[in-house]
Amino acid sequence: MEQARRKWSNRKQRLKGERADEEGTLRELLEKDKRREYERIEKEMEGLRSTFEYQVTAEKKWMDEFKRDSKHRNEWICVFKPAMVARGKPVEDGPALKRIMLDEVVKAKGEPTEDNWIQLEGQPATTWALTWHQKHGRLLQQWHGMEQNKFKELQTRVEERRNTRNQTFVDYRRKKNEIEQWSIPPGPTQEELYEIEDEEGEQLSAIVEPMMKEIREHKRRLRELRQRRL
């Protein structure tokens, strides 16, 4: 009996060790797959960067050439209904100085700042207008008179290409995040562990039962012998 129990215990330990080895192998294979996918994505992104840099250069050239040939320099038209506000500082909560009505054209002193503000010409030196708002979208549109439709077509083309580039890199970042979440399947739940223990208990019972039957038979014979002697 004790020998059967030891044999069964050894078998359980061996199976447990095999499961641990398999899990270690799976983790190693998983890390290799993750590295391979990271390298593939980085290689694709690197190839796209040079293509996108070329596109950006070309788009800047298109815009520069259009503006160079335009008779309207640094002119902007209000496209926000019914009007927008010019402020005393290039900040959204700056003091309001004047209203710029829809379709009104204003002239800027130079190019927009990185945060989309232009300083207005022919106004007090501290008059600023926002060209694009995060919530309301475009407030001022560059104005090119009779060539305005051509400019808007060019701007739409450039913006579509820019959006495509941005979405491409967003998709690649999403893919990298998905790879980061890769993991080996979880082990058995507590309920499944109980089922495994029950199954192992049944297997052990099947092994021990013949021995118990033999012991019961020996006890029966021993009782019969004692009764005969009496």
Side-chain angles (χ1 to χ4, degrees):
M1 175 71 104
E2 185 62 28
Q3 183 180 2
R5 290 185 181 275
R6 285 199 301 270
K7 183 178 179 180
W8 182 253
S9 177
N10 291 337
R11 180 174 180 272
K12 288 181 65 177
Q13 291 297 325
R14 176 174 57 80
L15 292 176
K16 184 177 180 181
E18 289 177 355
R19 285 196 293 266
D21 291 340
E22 290 175 357
E23 183 175 338
T25 301
L26 286 174
R27 290 188 183 279
E28 183 178 348
L29 292 174
L30 176 65
E31 290 303 318
K32 288 182 179 180
D33 287 344
K34 290 171 72 172
R35 285 196 298 271
R36 183 177 64 251
E37 285 300 299
Y38 273 131
E39 291 172 358
R40 180 185 65 80
I41 289 176
E42 286 295 337
K43 184 177 181 180
E44 292 180 3
M45 291 179 68
E46 187 62 31
L48 287 173
R49 284 188 183 98
S50 58
T51 301
F52 289 168
E53 288 173 359
Y54 176 81
Q55 290 180 358
V56 171
T57 301
E59 291 159 8
K60 185 177 184 303
K61 181 180 178 181
W62 298 340
M63 281 294 186
D64 289 344
E65 290 177 348
F66 186 93
K67 291 178 182 179
R68 180 193 62 199
D69 297 336
S70 175
K71 297 179 180 178
H72 301 266
R73 302 294 177 86
N74 296 328
E75 293 184 13
W76 297 76
I77 185 171
C78 178
V79 293
F80 185 74
K81 297 180 181 180
M84 62 169 294
V85 176
R87 301 187 178 276
K89 295 180 180 180
V91 290
E92 291 187 32
D93 59 351
L97 297 184
K98 64 169 291 186
R99 287 166 59 88
I100 302 175
M101 305 304 296
L102 178 66
D103 292 334
E104 180 180 348
V105 176
V106 295
K107 190 173 181 62
K109 292 184 177 180
E111 295 294 323
T113 63
E114 292 183 358
D115 49 356
N116 303 307
W117 288 90
I118 56 172
Q119 190 173 13
L120 301 184
E121 190 176 278
Q123 305 290 336
T126 56
T127 305
W128 294 83
L130 189 61
T131 62
W132 186 89
H133 190 275
Q134 186 174 2
K135 178 180 178 181
H136 302 298
R138 189 171 299 282
L139 306 178
L140 291 172
Q141 169 79 57
Q142 290 188 45
W143 175 248
H144 294 278
M146 299 296 293
E147 300 294 319
Q148 186 67 7
N149 287 337
K150 290 183 178 180
F151 173 76
K152 292 172 68 174
E153 291 174 0
L154 175 59
Q155 188 176 55
T156 298
R157 182 183 178 190
V158 170
E159 288 180 350
E160 288 176 350
R161 287 160 62 101
R162 183 184 300 119
N163 291 337
T164 298
R165 290 193 296 268
N166 292 339
Q167 186 60 49
T168 298
F169 280 107
V170 167
D171 291 341
Y172 273 114
R173 285 195 295 270
R174 176 180 53 78
K175 290 179 182 179
K176 293 178 73 173
N177 290 334
E178 290 175 354
I179 293 171
E180 184 64 29
Q181 300 301 318
W182 285 3
S183 62
I184 62 174
T189 64
Q190 189 62 46
E191 182 177 353
E192 290 171 336
L193 288 175
Y194 289 149
E195 293 178 357
I196 292 172
E197 290 178 358
D198 290 342
E199 182 180 353
E200 291 176 345
E202 292 174 359
Q203 293 174 356
L204 178 59
S205 178
I207 293 173
V208 174
E209 180 59 30
M211 300 178 186
M212 296 299 297
K213 185 177 181 180
E214 184 178 355
I215 291 172
R216 287 193 295 270
E217 179 64 21
H218 284 301
K219 286 182 177 181
R220 185 186 65 78
R221 291 179 181 180
L222 182 59
R223 284 195 300 269
E224 289 178 353
L225 287 173
R226 286 177 177 174
Q227 288 177 357
R228 289 175 184 176
R229 289 176 182 176
L230 294 174

